[in-house]
Amino acid sequence: MTWPWHLSVRARSALAAAGAVTVALVIASLALLVVLHNSVERSAVATADARAHDVAAELRTDGATTEGLAFAPGPGDAVHVQVLDDGAVVRSSPSVDGLPPLTSATPEPGHAVEVPADVVGPGEGPFVTVLLGVSGVPGADAVVVQQSYAEGAETVLDAAQALLVAVPALVLVVGAVTYVLTGRALRPVEQIRRRSAQIGDTDAGARIEVPRTGDEIARLAVTLNGMLDRLHDAHQAQVRFVADASHELRSPLAAVRAELDVALRQPNSADWVRTAHAVAGSNERMQQLVDDLLVLTRSAEGGASQRDQDVDLDDVVERVGFALRPPPGVRVEVVTRPARVRGEPRELERVVQNLADNAVRHAAHRVRLTVAVSGEAVELRVDDDGAGVPEEARERVFDRFARLDEGRARAAGGSGLGLAIVRGLVTSHDGTVRVGTSDLGGAAFVVRLPAAAPA
């Protein structure tokens, strides 16, 4: 069995449109029939009322219930007339001659009202019964007129039969038209689906053609192309990351293998202590690289509870700044003000440490670490008087394994992950980091973090 929600969109749209039109047409048809029936009935009541007043006027003119009353119905008119006196029939039209009173209701002089019928005269119904009170006529106090509205009822029945045929036909037409139009409207979506299915690893640069309609379909195509661009960029970044990580690990591994090969060729005369120191150094580089990769991977992880501690950032900066061991001729300045942020202490210390190490590595004579409160944010600045960062490279320095030409030598630069780790950790703390020009003449790295709420 196929449930409606398992059908295609165009089929569901057609069913929904047909259902809505069916409900609307059924309600409208019932309302129309009720209004039409009430109109026919009111017309019959008006006709009976006019006949009753005509008979009453004739009674008052004659002053008695004479034999010459005009009870004969008009052509094609099914109507019964009785003249009553104290509930008894004193005169009647030939069609109801000999019948008891058509109604037992009590008349009000001068008022004509529709009343229920106790007796229905011969002829094709349905009927309405009107009772008119008469005064000033000896031997008569009421006129009863029973009027048929069979022709009007037949008209209502004909309308109902016509609607019974027209409503289903109209519902079918609406369903078919909706099915066709929905299919035409969804044709670009199907084209987008087929094109998306064709895009694979071999043509990752291919994109979906954007319709010129400027509607929701066009915006969907633009959104999908943007998603494909981001996926392509992420894939390329992953490929570059794996390649760079492999390259970085290959160098220390090759150095270890070379040291061991040299020592093993002449094991008796080899300097094993020097070999052990060389292997330990390469191993330390590999360990540092692996640790940096883990920190970089986990910077986007961790729940809010792990980064929801009060941290005195000024204490962290002072601890890192005073523990630095800059090369001869480089002076480190630490300028702080009390500043508290929310975060994970070890990750924030890693941010400060990486920025400080980077500044010391590139400084000529001075490095300055500053902490200040700026509005609802805490600002950390790390300045140096080195060569600075060219403007065109100020975004690239935060990429993984990024090294500027000036710092490609491993003696001067690290693995190229330090600033990428800084950006990842700062972003995970809802902060920002940027690089500009320092008033010392070199680079200025500025980190802004949300300030913690006052205790």
Side-chain angles (χ1 to χ4, degrees):
M1 181 177 180
T2 302
W3 296 99
W5 49 84
H6 293 156
L7 299 175
S8 63
V9 173
R10 64 190 303 190
R12 294 201 304 270
S13 300
L15 287 176
V21 170
T22 299
V23 172
L25 288 179
V26 167
I27 294 175
S29 300
L30 292 177
L32 175 63
L33 293 176
V34 169
V35 170
L36 184 60
H37 179 271
N38 290 340
S39 176
V40 169
E41 188 175 8
R42 285 195 302 270
S43 177
V45 171
T47 301
D49 180 87
R51 177 63 61 86
H53 278 85
D54 289 343
V55 173
E58 190 172 354
L59 287 171
R60 284 191 292 269
T61 300
D62 294 345
T65 57
T66 62
E67 295 292 337
L69 293 176
F71 285 159
D77 195 10
V79 60
H80 312 306
V81 182
Q82 288 180 336
V83 178
L84 306 180
D85 184 25
D86 292 331
V89 179
V90 295
R91 291 297 304 275
S92 64
S93 60
S95 59
V96 290
D97 190 19
L99 291 181
L102 299 177
T103 180
S104 59
T106 302
E108 295 184 17
H111 293 281
V113 294
E114 183 182 3
V115 294
D118 295 328
V119 176
V120 177
E124 186 178 358
F127 291 87
V128 293
T129 304
V130 172
L131 176 64
L132 173 63
V134 179
S135 60
V137 179
D141 62 4
V143 176
V144 180
V145 176
Q146 195 171 75
Q147 177 75 43
S148 170
Y149 60 99
E151 292 184 2
E154 187 176 353
T155 301
V156 174
L157 181 61
D158 291 341
Q161 292 174 345
L163 289 173
L164 194 62
V165 175
V167 168
L170 186 58
V171 169
L172 290 176
V173 171
V174 169
V177 171
T178 303
Y179 186 83
V180 173
L181 294 181
T182 305
R184 291 174 62 87
L186 292 178
R187 189 177 301 164
V189 177
E190 177 61 20
Q191 293 174 351
I192 291 175
R193 186 198 65 80
R194 287 200 300 266
R195 181 56 180 154
S196 299
Q198 295 171 355
I199 298 176
D201 294 337
T202 56
D203 57 346
R207 293 296 177 265
I208 299 169
E209 182 179 356
V210 179
R212 298 180 180 179
T213 55
D215 56 6
E216 293 84 352
I217 306 298
R219 291 196 292 273
L220 173 63
V222 172
T223 302
L224 289 177
N225 283 337
M227 181 188 67
L228 290 173
D229 289 338
R230 292 190 296 273
L231 290 175
H232 180 68
D233 293 342
H235 175 70
Q236 293 297 108
Q238 183 180 22
V239 171
R240 289 194 302 269
F241 177 73
V242 172
D244 292 339
S246 301
H247 175 74
E248 294 294 331
L249 287 172
R250 183 184 303 163
S251 298
L253 285 173
V256 169
R257 182 170 182 176
E259 290 289 343
L260 292 176
D261 285 345
V262 171
L264 288 175
R265 287 195 186 97
Q266 297 177 341
N268 295 328
S269 60
D271 188 348
W272 289 102
V273 174
R274 188 196 65 79
T275 300
H277 281 297
V279 171
S282 297
N283 183 71
E284 184 177 353
R285 284 181 53 204
M286 288 188 291
Q287 182 65 45
Q288 183 63 42
L289 179 61
V290 171
D291 290 343
D292 288 346
L293 291 174
L294 288 175
V295 171
L296 193 60
T297 302
R298 292 172 180 169
S299 62
E301 300 176 357
S305 60
Q306 297 178 345
R307 297 185 176 120
D308 196 28
Q309 305 177 43
D310 282 340
V311 181
D312 291 318
L313 189 62
D314 54 313
D315 292 345
V316 175
V317 172
E318 290 173 2
R319 183 166 59 252
V320 172
F322 295 144
L324 288 174
R325 295 293 179 264
V330 176
R331 180 165 55 92
V332 177
E333 303 173 17
V334 179
V335 181
T336 63
R337 290 185 57 190
R340 178 169 291 186
V341 297
R342 302 287 285 178
E344 207 286 320
R346 288 177 298 179
E347 293 182 351
L348 292 175
E349 184 171 348
R350 184 67 177 267
V351 170
V352 178
Q353 187 70 58
N354 284 8
L355 291 176
D357 289 342
N358 181 76
V360 168
R361 185 182 304 117
H362 295 92
H365 303 288
R366 292 179 62 190
V367 172
R368 185 174 66 213
L369 280 65
T370 307
V371 175
V373 178
S374 176
E376 297 182 354
V378 174
E379 186 174 280
L380 163 67
R381 289 181 60 95
V382 179
D383 298 83
D384 64 69
D385 61 348
V389 180
E391 187 171 354
E392 66 275 7
R394 289 178 179 175
E395 277 297 316
R396 186 163 56 88
V397 293
F398 293 104
D399 292 341
R400 298 172 179 178
F401 300 108
R403 292 195 191 92
L404 303 184
D405 293 339
E406 178 268 335
R408 286 189 179 274
R410 289 187 176 84
S415 64
L417 291 175
L419 294 180
I421 291 173
V422 168
R423 169 164 283 184
L425 294 177
V426 169
T427 302
S428 68
H429 283 75
D430 298 326
T432 60
V433 58
R434 61 181 177 83
V435 58
T437 302
S438 171
D439 56 357
L440 299 182
F445 286 85
V446 182
V447 175
R448 288 180 64 88
L449 298 168

